[in-house]
Each structure stands twice: as C-alpha cells, then as structure tokens.
Amino acid sequence: MISQTRKIVQKSLDALLEDESFLPGVKDELRKKAFSSLTSILSTPNHIHKSFLRIALENGRVERIPAFRVQHNNALGPYKGGIRFHESVNEEEVENLASLMTLKNALHDVPFGGGKGGILLDPRDYSEKELHLISKKYVQYFSDILGPDKDIPAPDMGSGEREMDWMMAEYKSIRPGHPYRGSFTGKSVVNGGSLGRREATGKGVFFSLKYLLHDFMKDKKSFLTKNDGVFAKNLLKLEDRPLKVAVQGFGNVGSVAALEAHQSTHLSIKVVAVSDRNVMLYNEDGLDIPGLIEYAQKNRGDLPDTEEALEEAEVKAEVHDRDDVLYLELDALILAALEDQIHKDNVEKVKANIIVEGANAPIESEADASLNDRGVIVIPDILANAGGVIVSYFEWLQGRETQFYSEEEVFKMLYEKMTHTFDTVLPMFFGDPFSLRQNCYIHSVMKLSTVLYRQGKLY
C-alpha cells in the first residue's frame, strides 16, 4: 500500500515539474535536483519508532505486544495522527497511514505534519485494566518523541476518548510541570477534549457527499452542463432524484455517516444497507439507522446478525454476507471499514456511481484506475475523512487557549474548512483529465513542495 501512495505522489511531482508556473525561479538542472530531493523527502518517513510493550496480564502471563510510531514529515507543523489498536497493524501499514496524514493536513491547510501509531492487538481480547496498562506503556515507551509541539496522537480504529484520557494522564505524570492538554487529542470533553470530536470524521465523510451532490451541483450547474467529461455527466444524472446509499463499516465513522445520511434534509436519501465485520443488513425501503446504532451500542459495536437479533432490535432487514454491501446497485457507497476492500479481483462487481472513502486506503491502485476509467466518482480519503484531524486541530487550539467552542461552532468551522478545500479541488477535477484523488495529491504536494523549498530543505 505504501508503494501505491508513493506512485501517486511521484505522478504529482512529475506533473508539477512540467508546470513552469510552479516554482518559476527554479530552472534547468537546479529544477531537476530540487524535484529529485522532493521525491526523496516525500517518499520516506523522517523516523520509524517501534518497540515491544511488556504487558503483565491479569491471568499471570506476560505478553510482548508490537507497537509503532511513524513520523513522516513535520514541514508544516508537529507530527499528527492516530494510534490504531488492531490485529492487522504492521510497520508498512503505519508508514503508509503516516504519509497520508502529511498529505491530508497539507490539503486542508491544517498546520500539522503527518504521523501515525499502531499497536498489534485485538482490543476485544483484553480487559479494561489490561488496555489501561497497554495505553500507559505506549506513552512510557514513546514519551521522548511525543508532546504538544512534537507529535500529537489521537484515536484511530480500536481506540477512543478513553484511551486518549489514559495516555494524556500518563504523559502528564511523566512530564510534570510541562504543558500536557495538547499532548493528545480526541480526549473526553471533561479532560479538555473538543465537543464534536467523536462525530467529526463521520460527519465530514457525509458532508463530502452532500457537498458534491447538493451545494457544488447547484452552484456549478452551468459549468457542469458545459463539461463533456464523463464525471460531470455521471454527476448530473443524480440531480434531484432519490438516492440509494450503503455504508460498509458500522464503527464510529460508519455509524455517524449513516446517521447523517438517514437524517439529511438536503438530499432525498435511503440508507438501504450497512455492514460490519459479521454481516450486511439490507432493506430496499431504507434501514432504521437510529435503531441499529442503539442495538450496536448495547452489543459491543456489533450489528444484529440473526432474525432473532433483528426482532430484538425491532429493525426490519434482510441478513446477507458482509461483503455483499460492495456489490449493490447504488448511487453512493461509503467505505468506512479497512484498507484494500476494493481490489483488482472484485472491482468489476462494484456498481456504485459515487464512492466515498471514509476509511484510509480502502481501494487498491488497480481498482482505483478501473473505477476512474468507468467514470465512477471516488472522493478520496485525504479529502473525505479529514473531519477528525481538523477538529483535533480545534481541540489543540482550545487546549492552548483554555477557551472552548460550542458544538455548533465546531461543526460550523469544520464545514467551512472542508468547503474551502472542496471549492479548490472540485473545479480542477471536473476541468482536467486527472482523477479527484490525483488532483488532491497535486494540491497537497504543491503545498508541501513550496514550504520545503522556502525552508531551504531541497539542497
């Protein structure tokens, strides 16, 4: 997966190298050397930290659990990125996610660099006391590289405000007398977290879809109508009509995005399917999303997966294999599960007109090219799922200023920031031959390249 990200970054650099209006003062051989430097800098992380956490379990055994912190680039500010608690965590995955954070923050003008952390475990296999110890140990092992102005972790898959509260408390005890509120974001509100942080990623994911299908289509109708491109034509086909939407993944991001779609007043939407690690639920008339969220909250995050469980949840739905959600006839599919869900072996079965990447890197490169060739609009991860890091930035600011925003203010600022980004990249996407993902990468790489050049880091 890291090779896929590097290829897109390199393609962006190649496009900028040929654009004489970009860094016009850097010419000829000096220009080639500068872009060679950019390739080296953006394709590799600054630091890879890894360790084995020594954990004494309640059953008397001792485990050594692999843990990682990758710091990709800090040209724009302190490293920033979540800590993933998952059984699939590995060094290459964490490195790729750290590079995506660098690009995401550059795209949305968030003054952070890119970082990512991971702990190789299934949190369901550990008690609350053991997870508390694991969280403390992570901070103990990596405390020298963390801090409000160095590297600021946040929640990711398998972790949440509970783990961030534990980690901040441990950081505070290790660094007495030092600023600590901004050392971790995604904390509980009582511990200095921001209102709206938990819902921010999911809300931003749905906002991406809503903005494209409602705001942008209304404001740019004339521009789109005059456009001969397949993406513009496919988008206009969805104007002012009922929409069928499905969501893969029903964790924090997927459930919030599904609820936003279910409650949308700007678009006529039926959420006809949702899935989790066990099952897909389908109802062509639309699912009871609030009922499913209530059930999942009472059942360790799992959806009802039998007729009896559906009766208990008082939800009408058909039970299907979890992967079937990818192959439905849909207007929009939100991917909010894991990486590599759509790949070369199943992409031909994907029938959605629009795909929104709520998860990081859920589409492999060959599949991504195939979807683009077919005119499927893919709203990429670095554009769609930035709500979490944007509101983390607001939380970081609030911790420094000790002044706190209302939830209404947080979401207003979030949507304003995402709107600015969309208004920058969408006209470029519908106006040239590059995919929306490539346009986002070009914009990010342009920002990073300019900053690195002005900081004197290319020679």
Side-chain angles (χ1 to χ4, degrees):
M1 184 55 67
I2 186 66
S3 61
Q4 175 180 335
T5 303
R6 286 172 178 162
K7 285 178 183 176
I8 305 175
V9 168
Q10 187 58 57
K11 190 174 179 181
S12 302
L13 285 170
D14 291 343
L16 291 172
L17 176 62
E18 299 301 319
D19 182 359
E20 294 183 0
S21 66
F22 178 66
L23 297 182
V26 185
K27 300 180 181 297
D28 303 326
E29 195 63 28
L30 189 62
R31 187 173 182 85
K32 291 179 182 178
K33 289 180 180 178
F35 274 81
S36 177
S37 300
L38 286 168
T39 295
S40 297
I41 292 168
L42 297 180
S43 65
T44 53
N46 288 351
H47 307 285
I48 296 178
H49 305 275
K50 51 188 174 182
S51 188
F52 287 85
L53 311 182
R54 184 187 183 279
I55 306 298
L57 303 178
E58 290 190 86
N59 63 12
R61 291 191 303 108
V62 170
E63 278 192 10
R64 298 292 300 276
I65 301 176
F68 305 90
R69 188 69 188 173
V70 175
Q71 298 172 320
H72 179 260
N73 190 280
N74 63 346
L76 300 181
Y79 301 106
K80 186 80 185 75
I83 303 173
R84 178 167 292 195
F85 286 45
H86 198 267
E87 63 266 29
S88 71
V89 164
N90 59 74
E91 183 177 321
E92 181 180 343
E93 175 195 60
V94 179
E95 183 182 345
N96 184 58
L97 294 173
S99 67
L100 288 173
M101 285 302 301
T102 297
L103 295 162
K104 187 182 301 181
N105 288 328
L107 178 64
H108 294 275
D109 286 324
V110 176
F112 290 138
K116 206 71 175 185
I119 305 176
L120 178 58
L121 55 74
D122 183 345
R124 295 167 181 263
D125 294 339
Y126 296 85
S127 69
E128 183 172 343
K129 183 178 179 181
E130 289 166 344
L131 289 170
H132 178 226
L133 179 58
I134 290 166
S135 298
K136 289 175 61 177
K137 288 280 189 177
Y138 187 92
V139 178
Q140 291 168 17
Y141 279 52
F142 297 123
S143 62
D144 287 345
I145 63 168
L146 303 177
D149 296 303
K150 292 186 196 175
D151 186 345
I152 310 151
D156 199 273
M157 187 179 299
S159 62
E161 61 181 31
R162 179 184 67 174
E163 288 75 18
M164 296 305 106
D165 285 353
W166 290 338
M167 288 182 170
M168 185 195 72
E170 185 63 19
Y171 180 86
K172 181 182 177 184
S173 69
I174 293 172
R175 294 276 186 268
H178 289 257
Y180 65 90
R181 282 191 179 273
S183 58
F184 291 82
T185 60
K187 306 179 297 294
S188 65
V189 173
V190 72
N191 267 312
S194 176
L195 292 166
R197 171 60 182 86
R198 188 189 70 80
E199 303 89 353
T201 305
K203 279 182 172 284
V205 167
F206 177 72
F207 178 79
S208 301
L209 180 64
K210 190 273 291 186
Y211 191 81
L212 176 66
L213 288 172
H214 181 266
D215 305 72
F216 184 78
M217 196 176 324
K218 299 294 183 189
D219 292 343
K220 303 293 184 181
K221 176 70 178 294
S222 176
F223 166 72
L224 291 168
T225 303
K226 295 174 184 176
N227 193 301
D228 292 331
V230 63
F231 296 112
K233 290 178 180 177
N234 287 345
L235 180 62
L236 288 169
K237 291 177 184 176
L238 302 178
E239 184 181 21
D240 296 329
R241 50 166 275 194
L243 303 170
K244 292 197 300 181
V245 174
V247 182
Q248 185 204 34
F250 208 68
N252 182 47
V253 176
S255 63
V256 171
L259 185 62
E260 289 288 298
H262 178 78
Q263 296 176 339
S264 177
T265 57
H266 295 94
L267 298 169
S268 176
I269 289 180
K270 288 181 181 179
V271 182
V272 298
V274 297
S275 72
D276 66 2
R277 66 196 182 102
N278 301 312
V279 68
M280 180 193 87
L281 300 178
Y282 179 81
N283 186 330
E284 65 178 3
D285 296 321
L287 290 165
D288 176 7
I289 300 301
L292 290 173
I293 290 175
E294 183 179 352
Y295 179 90
Q297 289 172 342
K298 297 175 181 176
N299 291 273
R300 300 186 69 188
D302 289 337
L303 291 167
D305 57 359
T306 64
E307 294 297 333
E308 293 75 18
L310 284 168
E311 287 183 17
E312 179 188 340
E314 299 181 344
V315 171
K316 294 181 179 180
E318 301 170 10
V319 177
H320 293 264
D321 183 83
R322 66 180 186 181
D323 291 334
D324 290 348
V325 71
L326 300 172
Y327 313 130
L328 298 171
E329 295 272 3
L330 298 167
D331 297 301
L333 171 62
I334 295 173
L335 300 175
L338 290 167
E339 294 87 352
D340 302 337
Q341 296 302 294
I342 299 178
H343 44 79
K344 65 179 182 179
D345 296 324
N346 70 356
V347 67
E348 293 304 321
K349 295 190 286 183
V350 175
K351 301 168 187 170
N353 294 309
I354 297 174
I355 298 176
V356 187
E357 292 188 332
N360 287 310
I363 303 175
E364 286 190 340
S365 57
E366 289 184 46
D368 193 44
S370 175
L371 292 168
N372 278 295
D373 289 343
R374 286 159 44 190
V376 177
I377 298 172
V378 177
I379 306 179
D381 44 15
I382 67 168
L383 181 59
N385 69 15
V389 72
I390 292 172
V391 175
S392 279
Y393 169 54
F394 299 156
E395 179 180 335
W396 182 75
L397 285 177
Q398 291 171 85
R400 296 172 85 88
E401 298 169 356
T402 61
Q403 295 181 354
F404 297 90
Y405 310 138
S406 69
E407 188 171 78
E408 182 181 355
E409 289 174 317
V410 167
F411 291 137
K412 180 175 181 288
M413 292 189 298
L414 168 63
Y415 296 148
E416 285 175 351
K417 200 156 191 60
M418 292 191 75
T419 294
H420 176 76
T421 306
F422 272 97
D423 286 344
T424 300
V425 298
L426 285 180
M428 294 165 55
F429 164 56
F430 287 104
D432 67 29
F434 293 117
S435 69
L436 183 52
R437 187 187 311 279
Q438 190 68 63
N439 268 295
C440 290
Y441 272 62
I442 289 172
H443 186 79
S444 297
V445 170
M446 185 183 300
K447 172 76 177 288
L448 289 161
S449 300
T450 302
V451 170
L452 288 164
Y453 171 67
R454 291 189 174 276
Q455 291 179 355
K457 293 185 176 180
L458 302 186
Y459 309 105

